[in-house]
Amino acid sequence: MNIDRVELSVIRMPLVAPFETSFGVEEVEEHIIVRVDGSSVTGWGECVASSGPWYSYETNQTAWHVLRDYLVPLLFSAELKTPRDFASRVQRVRGHPMAKAGLEAALWDWSAKEQGKSLAELFGARRERIVVGVSVGIQPTTEALVERVGQYLSEGYTRVKIKIKPGRDLELVRALRENFPQLPLQVDANSAYALSDAPIFRAMDEYNLLLIEQPLSNDDIFQHAKLQRELTTSLCLDESIHSAADAEAALELGACRIINIKAGRVGGFAEAIRIHDVCAERGAPVWCGGMLESGIGRAGNVALAALPNFKLPGDLSASRRYYREDLVEPEFVVDADGTMRVPRGAGIGVEVIESRLQNVTVQREEFRK
């Protein structure tokens, strides 16, 4: 892989509507776009760290520092054979998976384009379409949530995930079940609860949820194993899973039955694929979570979700779900049957519109070998 130039750009993209979770409210999404160049080929990636250390300890400032001062120099230190070699090249940098994943994603895109293959093909994925769902933030009222969910169902989404937090949980589930009895529904707590809150989740057993996502601490497996034993509903771990080893431990201990895979959280696509394979071997389905990515990051997620053990709809909504204008063409859309097409063009399979990228860029720096 003859990479001789890297460019980092911090972008700020206003969301079409505020997105509230147990962490707080987001109105503008701030990510780092990574571009790599070499041999007349360009690869694109997206680092999903945000402006604050809410979902993760990583922020755009920490990711910029680690990319600029460590990861890019390590990339330039010797030529890689494949994107899978990147993790071992940067192994001495502890942690910072989102920074690593952003650069690794660009390398995957570059490699796929250089070989004339789609990213999905390079991953070994063969699906032409994937089933997708929508993630709904905490709404001002229960009535507003019911209305918003009804709107998304009319747009073709077949699975809905709602965010919950203490004081805004069981009432929301009950209202949605009363209005949409057959809706495939799941909830995401983003680590907002303690084991002492188990009665809330036991009560949710009555409402036929697909899963309960990350109810307890973001770095916990043990307490989740205790909670899962008390529930009929499957727990799904997100923030607690940073590697294939974590996934194996969580499944072995019975801490969950399902895992949400986010390439950004685990350091890149190579580790995400390893987690997929571990879960497949153990008969545990996975799905692909989202981090409010632009179309650059979304394209990689869609390719990943085309692998066979992604058996549950992911948070891979249409571009217009979050942004009035995406950074890529064609933008991602959800068809009436609740599916999304997997791009089959070379690399990520969509074109980055550089004028749009420039319009939302607030910081930029380039590096040469």
Side-chain angles (χ1 to χ4, degrees):
M1 299 182 67
N2 183 28
I3 306 298
D4 55 24
R5 179 181 179 274
V6 175
E7 179 180 286
L8 305 178
S9 301
V10 176
I11 61 167
R12 302 188 82 247
M13 295 178 66
L15 296 168
V16 296
F19 190 79
E20 182 176 353
T21 70
S22 60
F23 303 133
V25 181
E26 290 186 79
E27 297 182 354
V28 176
E29 198 62 24
E30 185 176 296
H31 285 170
I32 297 173
I33 301 300
V34 182
R35 171 177 175 163
V36 300
D37 292 287
S39 303
S40 301
V41 177
T42 295
W44 297 93
E46 184 166 349
C47 170
V48 295
S50 62
S51 58
W54 320 130
Y55 174 85
S56 162
Y57 66 84
E58 288 186 86
T59 68
N60 281 321
Q61 289 187 337
T62 67
W64 187 277
H65 161 54
V66 170
L67 281 160
R68 179 194 63 202
D69 296 333
Y70 301 102
L71 301 183
V72 172
L74 283 169
L75 173 66
F76 287 159
S77 65
E79 189 171 331
L80 297 174
K81 290 184 178 179
T82 76
R84 294 181 186 273
D85 298 329
F86 177 72
S88 59
R89 173 69 56 81
V90 300
Q91 189 173 16
R92 61 185 295 198
V93 178
R94 295 195 180 188
H96 302 282
M98 292 180 176
K100 293 175 179 176
L103 181 50
E104 191 227 43
L107 297 176
W108 278 101
D109 182 36
W110 186 94
S111 182
K113 288 174 178 172
E114 197 267 340
Q115 297 176 57
K117 297 180 178 180
S118 70
L119 196 59
E121 186 180 2
L122 208 59
F123 291 163
R126 292 177 171 79
R127 289 177 181 160
E128 296 293 330
R129 309 189 71 84
I130 59 170
V131 180
V132 299
V134 65
S135 178
V136 184
I138 297 169
Q139 302 298 301
T141 66
T142 302
E143 293 74 21
L145 174 65
V146 171
E147 181 179 353
R148 182 60 61 88
V149 168
Q151 174 189 336
Y152 287 133
L153 293 178
S154 71
E155 294 175 8
Y157 293 102
T158 57
R159 185 278 280 161
V160 170
K161 179 177 86 173
I162 63 168
K163 299 289 188 175
I164 60 173
K165 66 180 181 179
R168 300 296 308 282
D169 38 47
L170 194 57
E171 170 197 355
L172 306 181
V173 172
R174 185 181 297 117
L176 289 177
R177 267 291 167 255
E178 289 173 355
N179 285 273
F180 310 104
Q182 304 305 316
L183 170 66
L185 177 65
Q186 61 195 62
V187 300
D188 182 7
N190 288 118
S191 308
Y193 296 81
L195 190 58
S196 58
D197 295 311
I200 294 171
F201 299 107
R202 285 200 298 269
M204 289 185 185
D205 272 341
E206 300 179 22
Y207 295 98
N208 190 31
L209 298 178
L210 287 175
L211 57 88
I212 297 167
E213 184 179 356
Q214 197 71 38
L216 309 181
S217 175
N218 66 291
D219 59 357
D220 172 75
I221 290 177
F222 178 64
Q223 298 288 334
H224 279 95
K226 289 185 174 181
L227 179 59
Q228 181 67 91
R229 288 196 290 269
E230 297 188 38
L231 304 178
T232 300
T233 306
S234 293
L235 292 185
C236 169
L237 290 184
D238 174 359
E239 289 97 321
S240 294
I241 306 300
H242 303 98
S243 65
D246 286 344
E248 188 169 17
L251 295 172
E252 180 71 23
L253 292 172
C256 63
R257 300 174 189 146
I258 299 166
I259 286 176
N260 172 2
I261 299 180
K262 294 176 180 172
R265 190 191 68 239
V266 303
F269 291 124
E271 191 65 22
I273 293 168
R274 281 191 283 269
I275 294 172
H276 165 276
D277 294 347
V278 164
C279 292
E281 290 169 4
R282 290 177 168 269
V286 300
W287 57 283
C288 187
M291 294 291 290
L292 307 185
E293 292 93 343
S294 75
I296 295 172
R298 193 171 306 276
N301 289 344
V302 172
L304 181 68
L307 287 168
N309 196 42
F310 282 89
K311 295 182 177 179
L312 297 175
D315 290 339
L316 303 175
S317 309
S319 296
R320 295 300 174 97
R321 161 70 181 88
Y322 298 112
Y323 303 110
R324 289 183 175 86
E325 184 177 61
D326 207 342
L327 301 181
V328 303
E329 288 287 352
E331 295 189 354
F332 287 91
V333 297
V334 175
D335 291 334
D337 62 354
T339 67
M340 181 178 287
R341 183 183 63 85
V342 179
R344 287 295 167 181
I348 59 175
V350 291
E351 179 186 358
V352 176
I353 308 302
E354 296 192 46
S355 60
R356 297 182 190 174
L357 175 61
Q358 291 170 6
N359 288 340
V360 296
T361 295
V362 296
Q363 182 180 355
R364 175 185 167 277
E365 189 170 354
E366 70 172 88
F367 311 85
R368 291 188 180 272
K369 192 169 184 179

